[in-house]
């Protein structure tokens, strides 16, 4: 399995980058996690701290401090440079996805994986389904992954220096200050490095990777929580609207969720792991590559998006095993090669289907159409309760916006909005559940409504897209309802 033509390899990378830049605003339709993080960024830029303005009842009006400040500082910088908008927010994840892949390629070099095999692995991760989705998602996973891989690159470099040790420490703590979930990758590396440095009597390096990360993280703890006790209490104490659960209990606890499209990768990776663990003389180092995977599946409650954090380690394990097998066991090497072909077919097929659907449904997924409609029909400074997909359009019109479907009991939330928030409009989509509409109808008088209907699709194209084995049928179709709280009419 070789890609000998260097120009062909780089042309594919450039075409993939151009596709992502072009399609960034069309896919996905704005969704919960994205608007959640945009709201925090927007609050930070207004000098209000890390508040969740789009859903204050979820946090009781308290700041969202669980993730750390790094991602919000980066997205805030993007807004400062380019203004508020969907593209400006998502571009951060996309840039760091590209940087993560670049660092991944350098790690392959450090572990002496041949160039031809390395190119295959890079292309596979470029077209990987989870990596592609996360690069557009508006989540912080690719940012955290970049810094975590930066720490791995520093440790794996064949020529250790004091600078690389400092870089490792800074990358590791920055990753954790992007999301604590990345600790499953960072902590095993730092424990391994500490053992390695002790054995080589590199006392300064040991001190750097121990003291520097703790010192920097403690600055955040003191700034955000004042002391360690409040920090621990924040993560383990039940939250206001989920009295039976804490942040730790909600997000920890492996569920071994594996999306169908990852099975070729995981089966090939398991075979590769067996090959790597066979020689006794390198088991400790190879165990280091497997620990992030083991910790992820045993500790992280995955929903499908989080596994982007460990995808590079599956490909790294396969690359290491294939390099070894090609020298010592051609049968294993051939089997791993077949596995890589299966992964390539899966990744490229889903990428092609998804791309075709995006292009085919372009008129219905174009955010500019809904933005223009909102400007025509909603006055500035209006208060709106609605679906995630209308968040950007309304916020760009200088409106205030809160979720209609989160969190807690629908009746409690509708009453809160009627008595405390008092919106001017509800903006519901075709996917808004009927029970939510009923809960708001009980608290509000529905005075008037306007329907937003995206431009129609060609009937033939629509039938083809609906036949694709992908759940990408969402668009901006919805209804804007003018409302008035019933309580105000009774006073």
């Amino acid at each position: 399995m070789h890609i000998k033509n260097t120009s062909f390899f780089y042309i594919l990378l450039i075409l993939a980058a151009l596709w992502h830049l072009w399609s960034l605003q069309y896919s996905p339709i704005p969704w919960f996690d994205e608007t959640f993080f945009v709201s925090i960024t927007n609050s930070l830029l207004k000098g209000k701290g890390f508040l969740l303005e789009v859903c204050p009842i979820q946090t009781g009006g308290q700041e969202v401090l669980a993730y750390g400040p790094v991602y919000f500082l980066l997205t805030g910088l993007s807004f400062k440079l380019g203004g508020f908008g969907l593209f400006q927010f998502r571009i951060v994840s996309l840039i760091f996805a590209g940087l993560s892949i670049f660092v991944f390629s350098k790690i392959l070099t450090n572990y002496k994986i041949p160039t031809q095999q390395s190119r295959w692995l890079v292309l596979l991760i470029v077209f990987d389904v989870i990596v592609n989705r996360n690069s557009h998602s508006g989540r912080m996973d690719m940012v955290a992954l970049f810094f975590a891989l930066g720490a791995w690159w520093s440790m794996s470099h064949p020529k250790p220096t004091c600078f690389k040790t400092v870089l490792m420490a800074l990358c590791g703590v920055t990753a954790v200050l992007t999301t604590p979930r990345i600790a499953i990758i960072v902590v095993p590396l730092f424990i391994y490095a500490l053992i390695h440095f002790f054995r080589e009597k590199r006392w300064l390096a040991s001190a750097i990777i121990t003291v520097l990360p703790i010192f920097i993280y403690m600055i955040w703890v003191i700034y955000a929580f004042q002391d360690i006790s409040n920090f621990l209490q924040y993560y383990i104490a039940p939250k206001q609207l989920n009295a039976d659960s804490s942040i730790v209990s909600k997000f920890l606890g492996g569920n071994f969720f594996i999306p169908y499209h990852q099975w070729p990768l995981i089966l090939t990776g398991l075979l590769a792991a067996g090959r790597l663990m066979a020689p006794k003389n390198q088991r400790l180092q190879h165990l280091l590559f497997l620990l992030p995977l083991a910790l992820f599946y045993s500790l992280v409650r995955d929903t499908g998006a989080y596994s982007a954090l460990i995808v590079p380690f599956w490909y790294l394990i396969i690359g290491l095993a294939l390099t070894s097998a090609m020298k010592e066991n051609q049968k294993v090497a051939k089997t791993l090669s077949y596995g890589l072909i299966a992964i390539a077919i899966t990744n490229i097929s889903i990428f092609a289907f998804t791309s075709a659907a995006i292009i085919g449904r372009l008129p219905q997924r174009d955010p500019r159409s809904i933005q223009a409609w909102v400007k025509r029909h909603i006055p500035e400074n209006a208060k709106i309760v609605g679906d995630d997909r209308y968040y950007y359009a309304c916020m760009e019109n200088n409106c205030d916006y809160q979720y209609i479907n989160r969190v807690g009991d629908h009746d409690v939330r509708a009453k809160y909005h009627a008595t405390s928030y008092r919106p001017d409009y509800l903006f519901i989509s075709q996917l808004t559940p009927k029970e939510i509409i009923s809960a708001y109808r009980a608290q509000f008088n529905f005075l008037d409504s306007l329907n937003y209907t995206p431009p129609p699709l060609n009937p033939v194209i629509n039938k083809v897209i609906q036949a694709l084995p992908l759940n990408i049928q969402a668009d901006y179709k919805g209804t804007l309802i003018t409302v008035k709280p019933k309580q105000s009419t009774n006073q």
Side-chain angles (χ1 to χ4, degrees):
M1 299 176 67
H2 297 298
I3 301 176
K4 296 181 179 180
N5 192 314
T6 301
S7 298
F8 175 73
F9 172 70
Y10 285 108
I11 286 171
L12 282 179
L13 293 182
I14 292 170
L15 290 175
L18 292 174
W19 164 259
H20 282 295
L21 284 170
W22 175 81
S23 62
L24 190 61
Q25 63 180 325
Y26 302 115
S27 179
I29 297 293
W31 64 301
F32 171 49
D33 284 14
E34 177 181 16
T35 54
F36 183 101
F37 297 134
V38 176
S39 178
I40 297 172
T41 300
N42 211 31
S43 171
L44 188 63
L45 287 176
K46 292 188 291 187
K48 297 181 179 180
F50 301 88
L51 293 177
L52 183 63
E53 294 182 317
V54 75
C55 193
I57 58 172
Q58 180 173 351
T59 60
Q62 301 299 308
E63 292 184 83
V64 179
L65 304 171
Y67 299 97
V70 172
Y71 184 62
F72 305 110
L73 293 174
L74 290 170
T75 52
L77 176 62
S78 182
F79 280 172
K80 281 286 189 181
L81 295 175
F84 180 90
L86 182 152
F87 183 90
Q88 295 91 315
F89 190 77
R90 292 181 180 178
I91 193 64
V92 174
S93 296
L94 182 59
I95 288 173
F96 278 89
L99 291 174
S100 296
I101 294 171
F102 174 76
V103 176
F104 171 72
S105 71
K106 295 301 180 183
I107 292 173
L108 296 179
T109 300
N110 286 354
Y111 286 118
K112 299 180 180 180
I113 294 177
T115 301
Q116 305 302 331
Q117 295 174 27
S118 176
R119 287 176 178 175
W120 259 102
L121 296 171
V122 168
L123 287 178
L124 287 175
I125 202 170
V126 163
F127 290 98
D128 186 89
V129 179
I130 293 293
V131 171
N132 273 274
R133 289 178 181 174
N134 271 266
S135 66
H136 285 228
S137 68
R139 287 182 49 82
M140 70 254 306
D141 302 291
M142 303 315 295
V143 177
L145 180 62
F146 164 74
F147 289 112
L149 291 177
W152 276 74
W153 174 83
S154 302
M155 179 60 194
S156 65
H157 202 279
K159 296 180 180 179
T161 63
C162 183
F163 171 77
K164 291 186 179 70
T165 305
V166 172
L167 183 63
M168 176 185 171
L170 292 176
C171 283
V173 70
T174 304
V176 176
L177 285 172
T178 305
T179 172
R181 195 176 283 114
I182 200 70
I184 61 161
I185 295 174
V186 172
V187 171
L189 175 67
F190 274 66
I191 292 175
Y192 174 85
L194 198 58
I195 294 172
H196 179 71
F197 292 159
F198 273 150
R199 285 179 174 177
E200 295 189 348
K201 297 182 179 180
R202 293 172 57 188
W203 310 122
L204 178 59
S206 300
I208 289 172
I209 67 165
T210 304
V211 176
L212 186 57
I214 292 174
F215 174 74
I216 293 174
Y217 197 83
M218 283 305 299
I219 293 174
W220 164 248
V221 170
I222 294 171
Y223 169 81
F225 304 97
Q226 286 74 58
D227 57 45
I228 290 289
S229 176
N230 290 336
F231 167 74
L232 295 174
Q233 193 71 7
Y234 180 86
Y235 284 95
I236 64 177
K239 294 302 171 188
Q240 182 174 347
L241 291 178
N242 298 289
D244 59 340
S245 66
S246 63
I247 293 175
V248 169
S249 62
K250 185 177 180 181
F251 292 104
L252 283 186
N255 56 356
F256 289 92
F257 175 77
I258 300 174
Y260 72 92
H261 50 75
Q262 280 194 329
W263 278 109
L265 173 64
I266 290 176
L267 292 176
T268 307
L270 289 174
L271 175 63
R275 165 68 192 176
L276 286 180
M277 293 305 291
K280 294 182 179 180
N281 59 330
Q282 291 184 310
R283 279 184 181 174
L284 180 60
Q285 185 184 44
H286 291 160
L287 182 63
L288 174 64
F289 307 137
L290 298 174
L291 272 176
L293 303 175
L295 290 174
F296 178 85
Y297 290 110
S298 59
L299 295 178
V300 176
R301 189 167 298 166
D302 190 20
T303 60
Y306 305 149
S307 61
L309 298 175
I310 56 165
V311 162
F313 292 91
W314 282 119
Y315 288 113
L316 175 60
I317 288 167
I318 294 170
L320 289 167
L322 182 59
T323 301
S324 172
M326 290 184 71
K327 298 175 183 177
E328 303 170 5
N329 192 323
Q330 287 298 314
K331 287 185 178 180
V332 174
K334 185 175 289 188
T335 303
L336 290 173
S337 297
Y338 289 146
L340 286 175
I341 292 172
I343 295 167
I345 292 172
T346 301
N347 290 357
I348 294 172
S349 297
I350 295 177
F351 178 83
F353 285 143
T354 303
S355 300
I358 291 171
I359 293 172
R361 294 183 66 87
L362 202 60
Q364 297 193 337
R365 301 177 70 87
D366 192 338
R368 290 170 295 187
S369 180
I370 184 66
Q371 289 165 6
W373 190 90
V374 164
K375 286 184 181 295
R376 287 196 305 269
H377 295 100
I378 302 178
E380 292 187 6
N381 302 313
K383 288 185 175 181
I384 305 164
V385 172
D387 186 279
D388 307 306
R389 66 196 64 201
Y390 310 116
Y391 176 82
Y392 282 107
C394 293
M395 292 296 290
E396 288 184 18
N397 197 42
N398 297 316
C399 296
D400 195 80
Y401 203 90
Q402 291 194 11
Y403 292 140
I404 195 171
N405 55 341
R406 301 179 185 90
V407 291
D409 182 85
H410 301 323
D411 295 324
V412 172
R413 185 172 63 256
K415 186 175 182 180
Y416 160 78
H417 281 138
T419 57
S420 299
Y421 185 61
R422 304 178 71 82
D424 304 298
Y425 302 96
L426 303 182
F427 209 160
I428 62 174
S429 76
Q430 54 190 329
L431 298 180
T432 304
K434 292 182 180 179
E435 55 268 25
I436 291 181
I437 299 173
S438 297
Y440 278 83
R441 192 180 290 276
Q443 297 292 335
F444 291 89
N445 290 315
F446 286 20
L447 305 178
D448 195 9
S449 65
L450 285 172
N451 293 320
Y452 171 76
T453 303
L457 294 179
N458 180 286
V460 176
I461 294 177
N462 194 38
K463 286 183 179 180
V464 172
I465 293 171
Q466 289 179 348
L468 293 177
L470 298 167
N471 183 25
I472 45 178
Q473 308 301 325
D475 57 36
Y476 288 99
K477 185 176 182 179
T479 303
L480 180 71
I481 305 170
T482 305
V483 294
K484 189 174 184 180
K486 287 185 176 179
Q487 186 183 41
S488 64
T489 63
N490 297 328
Q491 292 178 346

